[in-house]
Amino acid sequence: MVSRVFKIAEERKPKAGMTISTDARLGAKGRVRFFSLGPHTDISPERYDCPAIYIGAGGRAESGQDMDCEYESAGLRSPVRLEEGRILFIPGGMLCGMRALIDGFVYTEILMERETIMNEILKPAEVFRLKDLINYEKGSIANMDLATNKGMKLMILSFDEGCGLSEHRAPGDALLFALEGKAVIGYEGRDYAIQEGENFRFEKNGLHSVKADGRFKMALLLMLA
């Protein structure tokens, strides 16, 4: 995949009566996938041995109610509603399904390893807005790891106005999610403007920088193996 600014939801538009799963080609095969669910279609409840994270890219979906999911039996709220920019964490072993609503649903599925360290800020089977999980720090870049294991890391960052990351090389393939505001991505000698709702892919060893245009928040999925 060529490094460029794009929107997952625009490139994986829902199709009537269909559910489509596409390998994101990040790290090990099948660990990160893009899903596109047509209106009122669903992914039947399934159970992964490993933790799973879902990040909404477009449309709306719900999980839990009337789908034999195990949320209520575990004392968790059901159903949960997913939309663009929302994140859902499902622990390993919990039964979970996904049903698209009238406008369909597009999302990223991340299958973590069993020994993943999860930030306690993510509660099982609760939906959070990613950009609300981290605040701005005056004159600073703030970083918070949400999930970490030997093969990948999911983190969120906030950039106060005028802050940026100097040029450096990615240790692995990475996928950026712009959550709030605007920024300029420098990549291999070219500048790319990016804003909330857009994505950018970094190739392993790609030379890149990030400069906030005002205040900016992003999530980054980094593959380490």
Side-chain angles (χ1 to χ4, degrees):
M1 180 183 293
V2 177
S3 293
R4 57 191 170 84
V5 176
F6 67 100
K7 287 188 175 183
I8 295 172
E10 289 185 357
E11 300 202 349
R12 310 289 171 185
K13 290 183 178 179
K15 296 184 178 181
M18 299 178 65
T19 62
I20 302 172
S21 168
T22 306
D23 195 307
R25 293 185 291 165
L26 286 165
K29 185 176 181 179
R31 302 298 289 184
V32 183
R33 304 189 72 88
F34 299 133
F35 277 82
S36 173
L37 279 59
H40 303 299
T41 63
D42 63 76
I43 301 293
S44 299
E46 54 193 0
R47 194 190 317 271
Y48 290 123
D49 290 338
C50 60
I53 290 175
Y54 304 93
I55 300 177
R60 295 176 297 159
E62 63 181 14
S63 177
Q65 191 175 53
D66 301 326
M67 296 188 74
D68 297 323
C69 296
E70 296 175 337
Y71 302 168
E72 292 180 346
S73 63
L76 304 172
R77 183 173 59 89
S78 177
V80 295
R81 179 71 58 86
L82 264 170
E83 300 177 3
E84 180 182 351
R86 266 67 170 179
I87 185 171
L88 172 66
F89 159 54
I90 300 295
M94 178 176 284
L95 195 64
C96 172
M98 194 79 65
R99 179 185 294 119
L101 300 181
I102 191 170
D103 44 359
F105 188 53
V106 181
Y107 64 100
T108 302
E109 177 191 76
I110 307 168
L111 300 183
M112 311 297 290
E113 297 179 1
R114 293 186 186 183
E115 64 273 20
T116 297
I117 299 172
M118 298 296 305
N119 191 313
E120 293 182 356
I121 199 171
L122 291 181
K123 308 300 182 184
E126 290 188 21
V127 174
F128 299 87
R129 289 207 309 176
L130 267 170
K131 66 182 181 181
D132 290 344
L133 296 178
I134 192 168
N135 295 320
Y136 292 106
E137 301 293 336
K138 186 175 181 180
S140 304
I141 300 171
N143 173 83
M144 179 188 295
D145 289 346
L146 296 180
T148 306
N149 59 49
K150 65 181 181 181
M152 67 177 75
K153 177 184 289 191
L154 177 65
M155 66 191 85
I156 51 176
L157 300 92
S158 67
F159 297 71
D160 198 16
E161 186 172 359
C163 292
L165 295 174
S166 300
E167 281 191 328
H168 61 286
R169 297 190 183 275
D173 293 342
L175 181 63
L176 183 154
F177 302 79
L179 304 177
E180 183 174 84
K182 300 178 181 180
V184 175
I185 306 296
Y187 187 80
E188 294 293 345
R190 291 186 59 186
D191 288 340
Y192 300 84
I194 192 169
Q195 61 184 344
E196 179 176 342
E198 295 180 333
N199 305 88
F200 193 90
R201 178 184 173 125
F202 301 106
E203 300 292 340
K204 183 176 181 178
N205 293 321
L207 185 65
H208 66 278
S209 62
V210 180
K211 178 66 180 296
D213 180 5
R215 284 180 155 185
F216 180 63
K217 290 183 181 181
M218 59 177 262
L220 186 71
L221 176 62
L222 174 62
M223 312 308 292
L224 301 173

